[in-house]
Amino acid sequence: MDVMREANRREVAGEDIIHMEVGQPATPAPRAARERVVQAMAEHNLGYTLSLGLPELRERIAAYLEARYGVDVGPERIVVTAGSSAGFVLAFLAVLDHGDSFGLPSPGYPCYRQILKALGFRPHLIETSGAGRWMPTVADVEALGASGAAGLLLASPNNPTGTMTRGARLKELAKTCARQGLWLISDEIYHGLEYEAAAETALAYSDSAIVVNSFSKYFSMTGWRVGWLVVPEALTRTIERLAQNLYIAPPTVSQVAALGAFDGIDELEEIKSRYARNRSLLLNELPPAGLSNVLPADGAFYLYADVRDLTDDSAAFAQAMLREIGVATTPGMDFDPERGRSYLRLSYAGAEREMREAARRIAAWLKTR
Amino acid sequence: MDVMREANRREVAGEDIIHMEVGQPATPAPRAARERVVQAMAEHNLGYTLSLGLPELRERIAAYLEARYGVDVGPERIVVTAGSSAGFVLAFLAVLDHGDSFGLPSPGYPCYRQILKALGFRPHLIETSGAGRWMPTVADVEALGASGAAGLLLASPNNPTGTMTRGARLKELAKTCARQGLWLISDEIYHGLEYEAAAETALAYSDSAIVVNSFSKYFSMTGWRVGWLVVPEALTRTIERLAQNLYIAPPTVSQVAALGAFDGIDELEEIKSRYARNRSLLLNELPPAGLSNVLPADGAFYLYADVRDLTDDSAAFAQAMLREIGVATTPGMDFDPERGRSYLRLSYAGAEREMREAARRIAAWLKTR
Ligand SMILES: Cc1ncc(COP(=O)(O)O)c(C=O)c1O
Ligand SMILES: Cc1ncc(COP(=O)(O)O)c(C=O)c1O
């Protein structure tokens, strides 16, 4: 946040800033989504919807999941939420009791631990390693179960690292959660944005997993605040009551836009191919320039660079990079309080031209240090 | 909710149902709001906004409060939220610790107590009386303070009763909260919809009150999920962090629509004059028809009828009314678990023609009972 504020301040002051600190697409919602909204402005009242969301949208999401992963969950298990953020609040409140602890791999998205704390629960951080592609191991999950924690959050592709877990390893993790009596909450918000192998849903290996997803990233609709949960049948009634009381319903206009977004897949695939080009460009240019410890992340739009050879304070490093060459990045401490001092997250959601310019500036800058 | 579901089922089955059970306007957002949205579809990315909301909207709300009530709170104290529902979540989490109790006048909006419970807090119900226009007394607030509760929620106009508190009485309540060290959360979501005297904001009598408001009711934008808080300066940072972590930001498209809504006041005043006509119509027609214990509510779009002469089970009564004459209403138990058995809430947010027809049906029906 500090870097973001400072980057915006400098931009307003006229500096030419490249934003590699932001966690959102630079594109609007697909045209098909925006057209639906224009139409709705003339035709719909847009009052409260049902708490679980527009039935038509729940069906469309279920069909999408079936087409994409071959899993048949049915619309009854889909809960439309105000972004995945509201989905996490609902999921945690549905399965946790006051004081319960919940396993969070670290580095990870910082809001997980903040949401848990705000609601009276306890984050239980699990240190992962770059060698293990920043994913917990089966031993980690067994230790988590033994600690008495209530569940595990898994994000694949992960933020900030972009790394994924799939196949046998994902299956083993899901089975271990089941064996240990741990809830598995799977954050699949970066699904659709993967560049090597396809992401797999936890639902392929678990009927009791709670899947969190959103129209924010692949669908390029961050500000719309619309996402969804897939919940086990036994939880739908609890979640419905919580949603009804805490939120009444997700934003109607955004649900209408989300329906339209499914007709904009071609446009979204084009945006994704830009991310893919940005990713290749950075993976080609950064290592020879001196930013060499970069794991070639599988998905999302992030690279998590190990900068320990360059600094032992990534926050100061990021500030200097912003001040001296106008490239904004996010220090790792936001995602991993301790070890993050040696890491930097670079988002490649921006324009291709900007990524090229960023690589150029970083190369020139590292030469002078 | 049961009545609403049953009413919708019957409607789908072809019955001619009059919806006096719904708590929302039958109208869309004002034209000026919808036009802004259409324009934004072409011009804006609609990414995440700042967590406290679009600066322009915070300024517009502050200006509105100043024009409306003559209070100068400044944009810094305005927090844009995803409906007032999210505002309550933020306000409760900001001021309460686990297990704290919070005073809720009863009858009242049922989500207050559900939100408190879901978040690990305890509702402390305060029985109010029709004779006291369903508002707590100074003695009630003193007793609340003595009980160790953390605060008081005040809603004026109130849902389900439509009654208000203002002037010396509101001032006394605010001062008593201050004296007792109680947080005062003032739900002002029905402000703008008052038919006798103007509603007054708690801010007129308290600098430390937290005011909750929304574009849902007066602005006719329920499904948009956009509202605001006015918070004391000392709480803004806490609320900003909570909002950032729990929600990231309120829906951008809805914030844009809200900005436009301020240019649609003429249209909103027309909608309000329809409510006023509906209210007069029902207050003229219902008592001679036999629904006589109706307090002439000051605001919102509800009448809370005392039906103890007609039934000792308002839920069964409402079901019978729906089944036999197709008029859907809400039994009082939703708002007041015990005494609500003798009350019925009637919403007059619908069309004038429907209200006339409802009065006719109710009169004919009561004659046969
Ligand atoms: C891993 C991850 N999960 C969840 C979210 C929340 O996104 P939203 O609430 O917009 O769906 C983000 C946003 O950056 C994220 O990176
Ligand atoms: C008294 C009262 N407060 C708050 C709300 C919540 O409204 P919203 O979240 O749409 O702002 C309602 C909705 O019916 C209400 O009646």
Side-chain angles (χ1 to χ4, degrees), chain A residues 48 246-249, chain B residues 23-24 81-88 108-112 153 155 157-160 187-190 212-217 221-228 301-302 335 345:
Chain A
Y48 297 124
L246 294 182
Y247 303 127
I248 301 184
Chain B
Q24 63 176 328
T81 59
S84 74
S85 301
F88 286 111
Y109 177 56
C111 291
Y112 303 140
L153 195 142
N158 185 33
N159 174 6
D187 182 350
E188 304 186 355
I189 184 172
Y190 288 106
V212 182
N213 210 324
S214 171
F215 289 90
S216 288
K217 310 293 170 162
M221 293 175 62
T222 51
W224 294 79
R225 315 314 297 123
V226 58
W228 72 85
F301 35 57
Y302 304 116
F335 311 101
R345 189 192 74 176

Side-chain angles (χ1 to χ4, degrees), chain A residues 49-111:
Chain A
T49 67
L50 295 172
S51 298
L52 296 178
L54 286 173
E56 198 185 344
L57 179 58
R58 297 171 69 199
E59 272 168 34
R60 195 65 197 74
I61 292 169
Y64 176 74
L65 299 181
E66 172 136 33
R68 185 176 166 81
Y69 309 110
V71 296
D72 174 18
V73 295
E76 320 76 50
R77 289 176 54 193
I78 308 290
V79 181
V80 183
T81 59
S84 73
S85 301
F88 285 111
V89 172
L90 293 173
F92 289 143
L93 288 176
V95 304
L96 299 182
D97 291 321
H98 184 73
D100 276 357
S101 77
F102 208 87
L104 303 179
S106 179
Y109 177 56
C111 290

Side-chain angles (χ1 to χ4, degrees), chain A residues 34-222:
Chain A
R34 287 176 284 135
E35 283 172 357
R36 279 264 191 150
V37 169
V38 170
Q39 197 184 335
M41 288 307 100
E43 295 175 6
H44 291 302
N45 264 2
L46 300 176
Y48 297 124
T49 67
L50 295 172
S51 298
L52 296 178
L54 286 173
E56 198 185 344
L57 179 58
R58 297 171 69 199
E59 272 168 34
R60 195 65 197 74
I61 292 169
Y64 176 74
L65 299 181
E66 172 136 33
R68 185 176 166 81
Y69 309 110
V71 296
D72 174 18
V73 295
E76 320 76 50
R77 289 176 54 193
I78 308 290
V79 181
V80 183
T81 59
S84 73
S85 301
F88 285 111
V89 172
L90 293 173
F92 289 143
L93 288 176
V95 304
L96 299 182
D97 291 321
H98 184 73
D100 276 357
S101 77
F102 208 87
L104 303 179
S106 179
Y109 177 56
C111 290
Y112 303 140
R113 51 178 198 275
Q114 304 299 352
I115 296 174
L116 284 169
K117 282 195 231 168
L119 300 177
F121 310 122
R122 289 180 300 128
H124 175 120
L125 294 191
I126 302 165
E127 282 207 355
T128 59
S129 73
R133 296 197 80 72
W134 304 112
M135 290 291 156
T137 63
V138 166
D140 288 334
V141 180
E142 283 168 349
L144 181 69
S147 81
L152 170 70
L153 196 143
L154 206 62
S156 165
N158 185 34
N159 174 7
T161 63
T163 51
M164 294 181 5
T165 179
R166 46 194 308 285
R169 183 149 175 216
L170 176 56
K171 181 176 180 175
E172 266 245 82
L173 290 173
K175 298 287 168 216
T176 311
C177 283
R179 227 174 18 245
Q180 300 279 335
L182 291 165
W183 286 102
L184 172 59
I185 299 186
S186 178
D187 182 350
E188 305 187 353
I189 184 173
Y190 288 106
H191 278 217
L193 300 178
E194 60 264 353
Y195 311 102
E196 304 286 339
E200 285 185 325
T201 176
L203 297 169
Y205 303 111
S206 166
D207 272 340
S208 58
I210 299 174
V211 166
V212 182
N213 210 323
S214 171
F215 289 90
S216 288
K217 310 293 169 160
Y218 173 69
F219 292 91
S220 189
M221 293 175 61
T222 51

Side-chain angles (χ1 to χ4, degrees), chain A residues 116-338:
Chain A
L116 284 169
K117 282 195 231 168
L119 300 177
F121 310 122
R122 289 180 300 128
H124 175 120
L125 294 191
I126 302 165
E127 282 207 355
T128 59
S129 73
R133 296 197 80 72
W134 304 112
M135 290 291 156
T137 63
V138 166
D140 288 334
V141 180
E142 283 168 349
L144 181 69
S147 81
L152 170 70
L153 196 143
L154 206 62
S156 165
N158 185 34
N159 174 7
T161 63
T163 51
M164 294 181 5
T165 179
R166 46 194 308 285
R169 183 149 175 216
L170 176 56
K171 181 176 180 175
E172 266 245 82
L173 290 173
K175 298 287 168 216
T176 311
C177 283
R179 227 174 18 245
Q180 300 279 335
L182 291 165
W183 286 102
L184 172 59
I185 299 186
S186 178
D187 182 350
E188 305 187 353
I189 184 173
Y190 288 106
H191 278 217
L193 300 178
E194 60 264 353
Y195 311 102
E196 304 286 339
E200 285 185 325
T201 176
L203 297 169
Y205 303 111
S206 166
D207 272 340
S208 58
I210 299 174
V211 166
V212 182
N213 210 323
S214 171
F215 289 90
S216 288
K217 310 293 169 160
Y218 173 69
F219 292 91
S220 189
M221 293 175 61
T222 51
W224 294 78
R225 317 313 298 124
V226 59
W228 72 84
L229 293 172
V230 185
V231 302
E233 202 121 5
L235 280 185
T236 47
R237 196 65 195 105
T238 307
I239 300 255
E240 180 176 20
R241 273 174 211 265
L242 280 167
Q244 163 80 27
N245 289 315
L246 294 182
Y247 303 127
I248 301 184
T252 309
V253 63
S254 306
Q255 296 187 66
V256 167
L259 263 172
F262 286 111
D263 297 329
I265 300 289
D266 289 352
E267 191 180 335
L268 297 171
E269 286 296 311
E270 249 173 66
I271 295 173
K272 173 178 169 175
S273 61
R274 172 166 53 79
Y275 299 152
R277 288 194 301 276
N278 287 349
R279 173 175 179 270
S280 300
L281 187 151
L282 294 179
L283 289 177
N284 284 334
E285 306 270 324
L286 293 182
L291 212 63
S292 48
N293 301 326
V294 182
L295 211 62
D298 315 300
F301 35 57
Y302 305 117
L303 294 177
Y304 198 54
D306 176 346
V307 290
R308 83 184 60 199
D309 300 341
L310 301 168
T311 185
D312 57 5
D313 180 352
S314 58
F317 189 77
Q319 291 287 1
M321 195 188 282
L322 173 59
R323 203 170 51 236
E324 294 171 24
I325 57 169
V327 176
T329 57
T330 313
M333 283 93 105
D334 284 11
F335 311 100
D336 189 346
E338 276 305 313

Side-chain angles (χ1 to χ4, degrees), chain A residues 17-38:
Chain A
I17 303 295
I18 299 175
H19 292 281
M20 301 183 84
E21 86 284 20
V22 292
Q24 64 176 329
T27 43
R31 177 175 299 276
R34 287 176 284 135
E35 283 172 357
R36 279 264 191 150
V37 169
V38 170

